[in-house]
Amino acid sequence: MAKASSSFVCQNCGAAFNRWQGKCEACGEWNTLVEEAGDNAVPVSIRAKRRGRTFKLESLAGKSNDAPRLPSGMAELDRVTGGGFVRGSVLLVGGDPGIGKSTLLTQATSLMAKAGHRTVYISGEEAIAQVRLRAERLGLAAAPVELAAETSVEDIIATLSEGATPKLIVIDSIQTMWTDTVESAPGTVTQVRASAQALIRFAKKTGAAIILVGHVTKDGQIAGPRVVEHMVDAVLSFEGEGSQQFRILRSVKNRFGPTDEIGVFEMTGLGLREVGNPSELFLSERDLGSPGTAVFAGIEGTRPVLVELQALVAPSTLGTPRRAVVGWDSARLSMVLAVLEAHCGVKLSGYDVYFNVAGGLRINEPAADLAAAAALVSSLANAPLPTDAVYFGEISLSGAVRPVAQTPARLKEAAKLGFARAVLPEQTRGDAPADAGLALQSVGGLSSLVADIAARGTRRGDDDGAPRAKAASNATPARFRRQEG
Ligand SMILES: Nc1ncnc2c1ncn2[C@@H]1O[C@H](COP(=O)(O)OP(=O)(O)OP(=O)(O)O)[C@@H](O)[C@H]1O
Ligand SMILES: [Mg+2]
Ligand SMILES: [Zn+2]
């Protein structure tokens, strides 16, 4: 006998349990279990009798009759999706409240509608008048986007099944959708998952591309249904620092494209402006000539991006000094600090360290190590770095500066933006084109860079022995000198 089953579903990760408990054993969150009616409540009589239907197997080399990709007309968006929306694919766009998800998708649908494609925008959150108001503000009110304020998945699919299949459908947001097939309340994991499933089935069947908007929780995950991330073809995350106008669109997962590309936008009164050259933006508010900043010549996807790294190293009053990082991996910072301490004689254990990547960018490249180390030492020694220099290179645990890829692209971007010198790993020096237009300073070991920076330092008012002298005298421990020689 099947009994009417209900289960307790974690609203964070979607794991189901037979009874309520305070902590989800799957993801470790507290108080996230909510009772939901079982979503696999198909009557046994139907389940048991149904015999499989036979279907035809196809070859890999079949032809599809439509262009597989549909560019949105926004270059920065297309860069992140890998060249446009793929027919029949479902994309999840996540982001903090108010970051500009609806704005981005209103602009994208309008552009595509203007280009003659049938596009539909379904808002489950805002009334039609509000969506219109936004479109008016963005100067897009004339675009032939079809609009609705609906939340029933069955109604939406029935409506969209009529007439020509839309090329692009935006569902804003998936958390507001609900389907008759399950009993849970809208916004619960079961509802969100069932609604997403129905919409994904519709996309695969008809070839329409669907964009689902998803909210993000405090800790940066797409709210509730992490499960949805596995179901969709691509997950894009829209990020930005609240106070700043930059917005970064990043692909977290993409079945049809790269995941390391970023799209950069600026939020203005007229909507999101695409930023084709992010370096100019990230360097636009540079604080020239103050200690603790270094310009990192990085690569985001296929594009070089110059960005300022900022460090503040200050004497600590705490037993365990503070380590605060924004925009970089904190484990990576700990590693660089440990290497500075172990191989370069830079004592940081009595200091709080704050580290920030300007402009709200998040860096994942190990090539940022050298620039980070330069910023840290510069702050500690109160020694401003040359304002016309860029830094890149990976630091190994032994204190050696290791080569990184794409040296020519990094140098070219630096030269284009008016930098005059680059500090780079010894082994990549050879990769630099003869006409790089930059003076190259190659470093083999971190300690030589540290000594170099410390020698410029003028730390004032420090009575526990000037770090400048300390850093300089300790800069090259005997063990390391041997290695270098
Ligand atoms: N008149 C305006 N001038 C400049 N910027 C504006 C104006 N109106 C709105 N904005 C910007 O647009 C943002 C809201 O954008 P949008 O509604 O697209 O965000 P969202 O991510 O869809 O938010 P939600 O999660 O609430 O749906 C605001 O935070 C603000 O930065
Ligand atoms: Mg919105
Ligand atoms: Zn969980």
Side-chain angles (χ1 to χ4, degrees):
M1 261 315 283
K3 60 174 194 270
S5 66
S6 73
S7 54
F8 295 85
V9 181
C10 169
Q11 301 299 304
N12 184 52
C13 70
F17 301 90
N18 286 331
R19 55 189 175 77
W20 190 86
Q21 52 201 54
K23 184 184 183 185
C24 168
E25 278 161 12
C27 67
E29 284 291 312
W30 287 90
N31 282 328
T32 54
L33 298 201
V34 169
E35 182 168 14
E36 292 186 12
D39 58 340
N40 49 355
V42 181
V44 179
S45 54
I46 298 181
R47 242 190 288 164
K49 280 194 193 137
R50 194 177 169 280
R51 196 172 158 265
R53 164 184 71 86
T54 61
F55 53 85
K56 189 166 153 266
L57 296 164
E58 308 260 357
S59 77
L60 263 182
K63 60 177 186 331
S64 41
N65 40 14
D66 230 327
R69 275 189 194 272
L70 209 59
S72 66
M74 293 178 94
E76 290 296 298
L77 177 57
D78 290 341
R79 177 195 298 281
V80 180
T81 54
F85 304 115
V86 174
R87 263 176 55 85
S89 72
V90 178
L91 207 133
L92 180 66
V93 177
D96 288 328
I99 199 80
K101 302 178 291 295
S102 303
T103 306
L104 176 71
L105 297 174
T106 304
Q107 287 182 247
T109 43
S110 300
L111 276 175
M112 290 191 57
K114 279 187 187 162
H117 302 295
R118 184 179 179 209
T119 60
V120 179
Y121 192 103
I122 306 220
S123 176
E125 256 163 26
E126 292 167 300
I128 294 204
Q130 289 173 293
V131 181
R132 282 205 185 115
L133 206 66
R134 177 186 293 113
E136 231 160 75
R137 173 165 61 82
L138 305 178
L140 297 168
V145 176
E146 296 169 52
L147 207 60
E150 283 296 335
T151 52
S152 157
V153 171
E154 277 76 29
D155 294 354
I156 291 169
I157 289 180
T159 307
L160 295 179
S161 303
E162 284 180 1
T165 304
K167 286 278 166 53
L168 179 67
I169 302 160
V170 172
I171 304 285
D172 188 359
S173 65
I174 186 64
Q175 274 96 352
T176 56
M177 295 294 137
W178 61 278
T179 156
D180 293 335
T181 55
V182 296
E183 272 170 21
S184 315
T188 55
V189 168
T190 311
Q191 266 296 355
V192 168
R193 185 162 43 188
S195 301
Q197 242 154 19
L199 291 163
I200 290 168
R201 229 176 296 129
F202 178 77
K204 303 286 172 209
K205 202 174 81 194
T206 59
I210 298 187
I211 300 179
L212 306 175
V213 174
H215 295 290
V216 163
T217 53
K218 296 175 286 319
D219 47 1
Q221 295 183 340
I222 308 241
R226 289 233 66 188
V227 273
V228 175
E229 294 189 16
H230 297 288
M231 294 158 58
V232 297
D233 298 304
V235 180
L236 306 186
S237 118
F238 204 35
E239 304 163 359
E241 291 291 311
S243 57
Q244 279 164 336
Q245 299 309 303
F246 319 130
R247 299 285 184 272
I248 292 162
L249 187 66
R250 186 183 288 280
S251 117
V252 177
K253 154 183 171 174
N254 195 345
R255 287 185 182 150
F256 307 115
T259 52
D260 52 357
E261 289 283 2
I262 58 166
V264 184
F265 300 86
E266 186 183 5
M267 181 61 90
T268 72
L270 292 174
L272 292 159
R273 187 179 73 80
E274 298 184 58
V275 178
N277 189 342
S279 303
E280 270 168 23
L281 193 72
F282 293 133
L283 295 179
S284 63
E285 282 162 23
R286 266 182 83 195
D287 196 1
L288 289 174
S290 54
T293 67
V295 176
F296 166 50
I299 300 278
E300 287 288 343
T302 52
R303 173 165 63 171
V305 173
L306 264 51
V307 60
E308 186 182 81
L309 308 187
Q310 306 164 345
L312 176 62
V313 179
S316 180
T317 53
L318 303 167
T320 310
R322 201 185 294 272
R323 303 280 182 254
V325 196
V326 178
W328 202 38
D329 186 11
S330 56
R332 203 80 205 168
L333 174 69
S334 303
M335 192 208 88
V336 170
L337 293 177
V339 172
L340 282 171
E341 185 131 11
H343 295 295
C344 310
V346 180
K347 292 273 169 280
L348 288 154
S349 46
Y351 290 86
D352 288 332
V353 174
Y354 300 88
F355 189 87
N356 179 42
V357 178
L361 192 69
R362 210 177 58 221
I363 293 178
N364 301 318
E365 260 193 299
D369 293 352
L370 192 65
L376 289 164
V377 176
S378 160
S379 174
L380 178 70
N382 197 30
L385 298 172
T387 55
D388 59 353
V390 297
Y391 297 77
F392 60 91
E394 184 179 343
I395 294 171
S396 74
L397 286 176
S398 68
V401 177
R402 295 177 35 77
V404 296
Q406 308 211 44
T407 298
R410 296 175 201 268
L411 295 177
K412 200 169 149 210
E413 179 78 359
K416 198 171 92 189
L417 286 160
F419 287 87
R421 57 182 125 169
V423 180
L424 75 175
E426 205 139 62
Q427 281 145 288
T428 43
R429 202 196 166 111
D431 302 346
D435 58 346
L438 294 165
L440 304 179
Q441 180 193 340
S442 56
V443 285
L446 187 55
S447 55
S448 61
L449 180 73
V450 171
D452 207 44
I453 296 171
R456 309 160 56 104
T458 56
R459 191 163 189 101
R460 297 149 305 207
D462 230 321
D463 45 14
D464 62 330
R468 174 169 91 93
K470 208 156 65 177
S473 63
N474 289 340
T476 315
R479 157 170 50 135
F480 204 75
R481 239 178 275 133
R482 246 182 290 122
Q483 227 176 51
E484 270 181 342

